[in-house]
């Protein structure tokens, strides 16, 4: 099984580097459905896995100058406080609700995977809508960009803390709608990845405090994911990722339904 975990880490890492999606949206259901880990351990370990994997990818993007710092700060101002509050709530009440919390996390994971899949399938339509609004009433649209970005960050912070899903899949779709002219291609992927790192670290530490991190599992996944994400980032500069995103969305749909029907 260790060899299979390394292979899974490599595959998910490559997708993270290529599309910005997959750190939580794919690895958590893989750990639960294919390797039999509990939702608590899978989510907690995956958060740190996603943060460290994406850190390698962001280092390459930063060198290329593709990270939008202004948008990144807006997202973090909403997501990090939301993740801290959600983590605090799990730390305080986790010991009292026990299995009920784990069941809630599993159901939330299934629902968010389906929402993420819908977001990916309809990202072009949302991008077109955002572009139309941006060009039709530029001043009003730009006035609302900041507050809506902070709000989106807050919602993503809660989602990531509970399920490890949202920083990549939902974040990229939200950014395409809110910044239809400013963020596209590698710039979108880079900014989305940079946002996911501190968010996943904050949420991962909260899960570690409630005993939700398997360090041996984390090491095996990183062994595969670090070379995978570096390859994916390199490929993102040359490849159109539209059909890769659709394939990922299909996997998210199947995983979400499987978790909800278990």
């Amino acid at each position: 099984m260790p060899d299979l975990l390394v292979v899974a880490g490599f595959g998910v890492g490559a997708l993270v580097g290529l599309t910005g999606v997959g750190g939580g949206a794919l690895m958590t259901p893989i750990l639960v459905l294919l390797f039999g880990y509990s939702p608590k351990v899978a989510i907690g370990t995956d958060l740190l896995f996603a943060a460290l994997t994406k850190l390698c990818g962001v280092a390459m993007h930063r060198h290329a100058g593709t990270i939008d710092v202004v948008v990144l700060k807006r997202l973090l101002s909403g997501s990090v406080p939301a993740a801290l509050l959600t983590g605090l709530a799990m730390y305080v009440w986790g010991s009292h609700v026990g299995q009920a919390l784990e069941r809630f996390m599993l159901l939330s994971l299934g629902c968010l995977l389906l929402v993420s899949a819908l977001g990916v399938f309809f990202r072009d339509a949302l991008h077109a809508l955002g572009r139309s609004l941006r060009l039709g009433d530029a001043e009003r649209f730009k006035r609302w960009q900041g507050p809506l970005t902070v709000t989106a960050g807050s919602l993503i912070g809660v989602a990531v803390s509970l399920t490890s899903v949202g920083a990549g899949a939902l974040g990229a779709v939200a950014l395409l709608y809110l910044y239809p002219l400013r963020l596209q291609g590698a710039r979108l992927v880079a900014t989305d990845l940079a946002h996911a790192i501190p968010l996943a670290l904050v949420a991962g530490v909260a899960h570690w405090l409630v005993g939700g991190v398997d360090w041996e599992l984390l090491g095996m996944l990183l062994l595969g994911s670090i070379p995978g994400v570096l390859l994916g980032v390199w490929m993102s500069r040359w490849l159109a990722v539209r059909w890769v995103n659709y394939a990922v969305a299909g996997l998210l749909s199947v995983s979400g339904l499987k978790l909800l029907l278990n």
Side-chain angles (χ1 to χ4, degrees):
M1 189 169 77
D3 291 342
L4 293 177
L5 289 170
V6 174
V7 172
F10 179 84
V12 172
L15 286 173
V16 167
L18 185 61
T19 68
V21 178
L26 287 178
M27 185 53 75
T28 298
I30 285 173
L31 292 176
V32 173
L33 296 173
L34 297 184
F35 293 101
Y37 286 93
S38 70
K40 179 181 177 182
V41 170
I43 291 170
T45 304
D46 182 54
L47 284 166
L48 295 180
F49 160 78
L52 295 172
T53 297
K54 291 177 179 182
L55 183 62
C56 297
V58 164
M60 292 184 67
H61 279 295
R62 184 175 182 275
H63 180 72
T66 50
I67 298 172
D68 192 311
V69 177
V70 173
V71 176
L72 176 61
K73 289 179 178 178
R74 290 174 179 175
L75 281 172
L76 290 174
S77 66
S79 64
V80 170
L84 285 170
L85 290 174
T86 306
L88 179 62
M90 288 192 299
Y91 181 72
V92 172
W93 293 315
S95 59
H96 300 292
V97 296
Q99 291 295 322
L101 175 60
E102 193 155 341
R103 180 61 182 166
F104 178 72
M105 291 166 68
L106 188 64
L107 291 174
S108 299
L109 173 61
C111 291
L112 275 169
L113 288 173
L114 293 177
V115 171
S116 298
L118 287 173
V120 174
F121 280 127
F122 290 101
R123 62 186 295 166
D124 288 344
L126 289 171
H127 185 211
L129 176 61
R131 184 181 177 87
S132 175
L133 293 172
R134 170 66 175 80
L135 295 175
D137 192 350
E139 289 303 316
R140 185 179 182 187
F141 190 87
K142 290 171 70 175
R143 188 166 60 246
W144 281 98
Q145 270 182 328
L148 288 176
T149 304
V150 175
T151 301
S154 299
L155 295 174
I156 291 169
V158 174
V160 168
S161 294
L162 281 175
T163 68
S164 79
V165 175
L170 296 178
V173 173
L175 290 178
L176 268 178
Y177 170 75
L178 291 171
Y179 300 91
L181 305 181
R182 184 168 176 167
L183 295 179
Q184 295 187 49
R187 192 171 179 83
L188 171 68
V189 173
T191 305
D192 192 33
L193 284 175
H195 168 238
I197 293 169
L199 173 56
L201 282 175
V202 168
V205 168
H207 280 267
W208 170 54
L209 292 174
V210 296
V213 176
D214 185 322
W215 295 102
E216 183 179 356
L217 170 62
L218 177 61
M220 298 303 298
L221 295 175
L222 289 174
L223 192 62
S225 71
I226 291 175
V229 74
L230 295 177
L231 175 64
V233 170
W234 179 79
M235 292 173 62
S236 72
R237 300 175 186 176
W238 313 106
L239 296 179
V241 298
R242 180 179 181 182
W243 296 108
V244 179
N245 280 319
Y246 287 155
V248 170
L251 291 173
L252 299 183
S253 301
V254 172
S255 300
L257 289 172
K258 180 77 172 174
L259 288 168
L260 291 175
L261 296 175
N262 267 356

